[in-house]
Amino acid sequence: MSLILVAEQILNGLQFGIMLFLMAAGLTLIFGVMGLINLAHGSLYMVGAFCAAAVSAATGSFLLALVAALAGAAAAGALIELAVIRRLYARDHLDQVLATFALILIFSESTRWLFGSFPLYLDVPAALSGPITLPGGIQYPLYRLTLILVGLTVAAGLFLLIARTRIGVRIRAGENDREMIAALGVDIDRLYTFVFALGAALAGLAGALVGAIQSVQVGMGEPVLILAFVTIVIGGIGSIKGALVGALLVGLTDTLGSIFLPQLFKLFMAPAAATQTGASLASMAIYILMAAVLIWRPTGLYGVRA
């Protein structure tokens, strides 16, 4: 097995992890600030992808497609926060799960009604198509490398927003004591709407970026949502740093496991059995990782102990 193949798969794992971070960051913000379990977060990922595909088809501009994904997902997030989610903050988690699961069905059927059941396709912009040669002779798709850089830039901007701005101070205070900041005069309803729209926009951006390398179809957000929940459990609920580290761990574990575990088992098993065993174990690897982290740190890597 060549070093170039290993390097390419590491880059694939990083790209997957960075896109997963965009999903997990919004999810962990929403849960950390509002205490809300939002199963509809994957639907906002899908909304961003469909908005991008529709605008790209109409205008031919990938940049406008990304803007539409951000705006469409943020608007959808703000709308459902005002219309539905706001009524769930004082309810228990079971009510939140049932209500947001209903939102999944509403988003899925509405999207199918608007766009049909057939998948849409978002083309990679011409300026980012084709491979680029990296040090060591590695040929890697320029678009995937751009996804890594865009994701890291968004992560840096999010860290600065949370750590260095007044709204970031309010978000961090809301995670610790929402009653106190409300008593100090902060409009808690407006803060919640902003946080929910921000999380939705991040999910929509991830959907648009991934939509150029996968098909855009109804239900595309649910598998990613499961991985996002695994990510925030590993990183620690409410921690942006934990979401980034957890996403990278999940991305690398999933990508490298699916490639290298079957090769490892071929060293001492028949090829057919090794492929089947390795693939089965690779599909469980991220959950084994999550269990190991929770045994070591029950609150996650960067979670705050109660």
Side-chain angles (χ1 to χ4, degrees):
M1 187 175 298
S2 68
L3 292 177
I4 290 179
L5 176 61
V6 174
E8 288 175 348
Q9 296 308 317
I10 289 174
L11 288 171
N12 285 337
L14 289 175
Q15 179 259 307
F16 180 40
I18 288 295
M19 292 301 99
L20 191 56
F21 165 74
L22 295 179
M23 274 284 289
L27 195 61
T28 199
L29 270 179
I30 290 168
F31 190 88
V33 175
M34 305 174 183
L36 177 81
I37 298 177
N38 179 26
L39 296 186
H41 201 68
S43 296
L44 298 169
Y45 172 92
M46 178 186 69
V47 166
F50 271 95
C51 286
V55 171
S56 177
T59 66
S61 171
F62 188 76
L63 183 59
L64 286 178
L66 293 184
V67 173
L70 283 166
L79 179 62
I80 65 172
E81 196 279 334
L82 292 169
V84 179
I85 301 299
R86 184 164 292 184
R87 294 165 172 77
L88 300 174
Y89 296 135
R91 309 291 288 271
D92 60 32
H93 289 324
L94 178 58
D95 291 338
Q96 295 172 359
V97 167
L98 292 174
T100 53
F101 181 74
L103 287 173
I104 293 177
L105 302 179
I106 293 170
F107 272 112
S108 295
E109 293 307 313
S110 299
T111 304
R112 184 176 287 111
W113 176 69
L114 286 171
F115 296 98
S117 300
F118 297 102
L120 304 180
Y121 297 94
L122 186 61
D123 294 331
V124 173
L128 299 177
S129 62
I132 185 174
T133 303
L134 300 176
I138 302 170
Q139 294 283 325
Y140 195 71
L142 177 58
Y143 182 74
R144 288 181 178 268
L145 187 62
T146 303
L147 294 190
I148 296 175
L149 297 177
V150 169
L152 290 175
T153 302
V154 172
L158 192 57
F159 279 117
L160 290 175
L161 173 69
I162 299 298
R164 300 294 179 87
T165 66
R166 183 177 295 273
I167 188 68
V169 171
R170 292 177 178 178
I171 290 173
R172 286 184 281 120
E175 289 180 315
N176 295 319
D177 196 335
R178 68 196 69 175
E179 290 81 10
M180 180 59 72
I181 66 167
L184 291 174
V186 174
D187 188 337
I188 197 72
D189 290 337
R190 184 176 297 178
L191 176 65
Y192 280 10
T193 302
F194 172 80
V195 171
F196 202 92
L198 175 62
L202 291 173
L205 176 63
L209 292 173
V210 173
I213 53 178
Q214 299 177 359
S215 61
V216 177
Q217 56 189 331
V218 175
M220 63 183 290
E222 280 67 43
V224 183
L225 179 67
I226 295 172
L227 295 179
F229 272 115
V230 171
T231 295
I232 65 173
V233 168
I234 290 174
I237 294 173
S239 171
I240 297 297
K241 181 180 180 181
L244 178 59
V245 173
L248 293 177
L249 287 174
V250 169
L252 289 170
T253 299
D254 184 74
T255 302
L256 298 181
S258 62
I259 297 297
F260 297 122
L261 281 177
Q263 300 298 323
L264 177 63
F265 282 105
K266 285 179 182 179
L267 297 177
F268 50 87
M269 296 177 66
T275 300
Q276 182 177 2
T277 304
S280 299
L281 187 59
S283 65
M284 297 185 292
I286 59 173
Y287 304 105
I288 295 172
L289 172 65
M290 179 178 69
V293 169
L294 291 179
I295 291 171
W296 174 49
R297 285 185 62 87
T299 57
L301 294 176
Y302 296 97
V304 178
R305 293 187 181 276

